[in-house]
């Protein structure tokens, strides 16, 4: 009987969550933003395959260094990306980040019209794409409460945004196999650029429903902001454990 009650409650919560997600998808603001992010995430999967493939062609087993540079760029810029987004218009940050990333990725197939692809073309693009992602992600988190006035939809919308990467990992491999039959591998970068431009367009169509109060605050110096984040993280032992165990 106890097990049945537990299962009944769990099923009720599951159905309720599913209905909230459907309600969120029915909301135009959420649908536009989520759809753009799904396209961008699928484009990123295609981009990563092309990046590793061309890096392996150029430097063989040392191709891992390109991924390491990309990861280091993301980590380095993440130290200031959240601080930057916290005191500026997050919608504008996301649009600019998408447009610049799209242009950076598109530069690779355009340059290969005149020059053979080289490692020194791949690395700057990898740095730009990864670095600007560190600005885009916190801006997205800051923008959601501005785009969605209904507090009941906000939680479901946050959950939807978390699914974009998982959906891309499901769709990406099949789409990559399909694309390989019709377009050269260099144009995988073109597809990713188009996905960035589509994301920028979808974000530009969103309307703010409320102003974010912290835009009016004076920004702290970067070093003080970093220390403030550390102090907030160690207040709660559980949060501290999750952060530092995640790093390891």
């Amino acid at each position: 009987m106890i097990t049945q009650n537990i299962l009944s409650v769990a099923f009720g919560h599951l159905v309720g969550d599913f209905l909230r997600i459907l309600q969120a998808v029915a909301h135009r603001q959420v649908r536009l933003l989520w759809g753009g992010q799904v396209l961008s995430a699928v484009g990123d999967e295609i981009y990563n395959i092309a990046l590793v493939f061309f890096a392996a062609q150029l430097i063989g087993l040392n191709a891992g260094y390109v991924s390491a540079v990309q990861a280091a760029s993301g980590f380095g810029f993440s130290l200031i990306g959240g601080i930057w987004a916290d005191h500026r218009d997050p919608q504008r940050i996301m649009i600019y980040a998408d447009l610049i990333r799209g242009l950076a990725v598109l530069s690779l197939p355009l340059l290969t019209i005149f020059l053979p692809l080289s490692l020194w073309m791949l690395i700057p693009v990898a740095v730009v794409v990864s670095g600007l992602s560190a600005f885009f992600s916190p801006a997205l988190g800051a923008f959601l409460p501005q785009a969605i006035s209904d507090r009941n939809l906000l939680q479901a919308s946050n959950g939807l945004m978390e699914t974009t990467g998982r959906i891309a990992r499901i769709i990406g491999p099949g789409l990559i196999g399909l694309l390989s039959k019709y377009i050269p591998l260099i144009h995988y970068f073109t597809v990713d650029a188009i996905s960035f431009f589509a994301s920028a367009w979808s974000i530009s169509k969103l309307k703010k429903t409320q102003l974010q109060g912290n835009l009016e605050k004076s920004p702290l110096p970067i070093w003080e902001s970093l220390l403030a984040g550390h102090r907030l993280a160690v207040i709660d032992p559980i949060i501290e454990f999750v952060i530092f165990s995640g790093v390891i």
Side-chain angles (χ1 to χ4, degrees):
M1 180 65 69
I2 294 176
T3 302
Q4 288 179 341
N5 289 337
I6 292 173
L7 290 175
S8 176
V9 170
F11 181 74
H13 283 302
L14 184 63
V15 171
D17 290 340
F18 181 71
L19 291 176
R20 278 191 290 273
I21 288 174
L22 289 180
Q23 187 181 6
V25 173
H27 194 285
R28 180 181 180 274
Q29 294 267 94
V30 178
R31 192 167 60 248
L32 266 175
L33 183 58
W34 182 64
Q37 294 318 295
V38 169
L39 283 176
S40 182
V42 171
D44 288 344
E45 288 291 311
I46 295 170
Y47 159 82
N48 287 327
I49 291 294
L51 183 70
V52 172
F53 178 85
F54 283 113
Q57 275 195 333
L58 293 168
I59 54 176
L61 295 177
N62 292 322
Y65 287 114
V66 175
S67 297
V69 168
Q70 186 169 246
S73 171
F75 172 75
F77 282 103
S78 68
L79 296 176
I80 61 173
I83 300 168
W84 183 278
D86 195 36
H87 298 284
R88 289 167 178 83
D89 184 349
Q91 185 177 21
R92 187 173 297 178
I93 290 174
M94 290 190 293
I95 293 171
Y96 285 156
D98 272 340
L99 291 176
I100 295 171
R101 287 186 294 179
L103 291 172
V105 174
L106 187 60
S107 70
L108 291 174
L110 292 177
L111 285 172
T112 56
I113 297 173
F114 309 100
L115 300 168
L117 188 68
S118 71
L119 187 63
W120 302 113
M121 295 179 188
L122 288 179
I123 289 179
V125 171
V127 169
V128 168
V129 170
S130 181
L132 287 178
S133 296
F135 289 85
F136 185 95
S137 297
L140 175 60
F143 181 67
L144 270 177
Q146 297 183 34
I148 303 165
S149 57
D150 189 338
R151 301 298 94 184
N152 294 325
L153 291 181
L154 184 57
Q155 185 177 7
S157 302
N158 274 313
L160 274 175
M161 298 308 157
E162 292 295 325
T163 67
T164 56
R166 298 182 183 93
I167 291 173
R169 284 191 288 272
I170 294 171
I171 297 175
L175 185 58
I176 289 166
L178 182 64
L179 289 174
S180 65
K181 298 180 180 180
Y182 299 104
I183 65 173
L185 193 64
I186 190 65
H187 286 299
Y188 282 22
F189 294 122
T190 306
V191 173
D192 186 37
I194 292 171
S195 75
F196 279 129
F197 297 146
S199 173
W201 174 84
S202 70
I203 293 168
S204 71
K205 295 298 180 182
L206 298 173
K207 296 179 180 178
K208 296 178 185 177
T209 57
Q210 65 180 39
L211 293 176
Q212 190 175 12
N214 64 358
L215 288 175
E216 300 174 357
K217 298 178 181 178
S218 298
L220 293 172
I222 290 178
W223 183 246
E224 289 185 23
S225 296
L226 292 174
L227 290 178
H230 174 265
R231 286 193 292 268
L232 288 172
V234 299
I235 287 175
D236 190 325
I238 295 177
I239 295 177
E240 183 181 12
F241 172 77
V242 169
I243 291 175
F244 290 103
S245 64
V247 169
I248 294 172

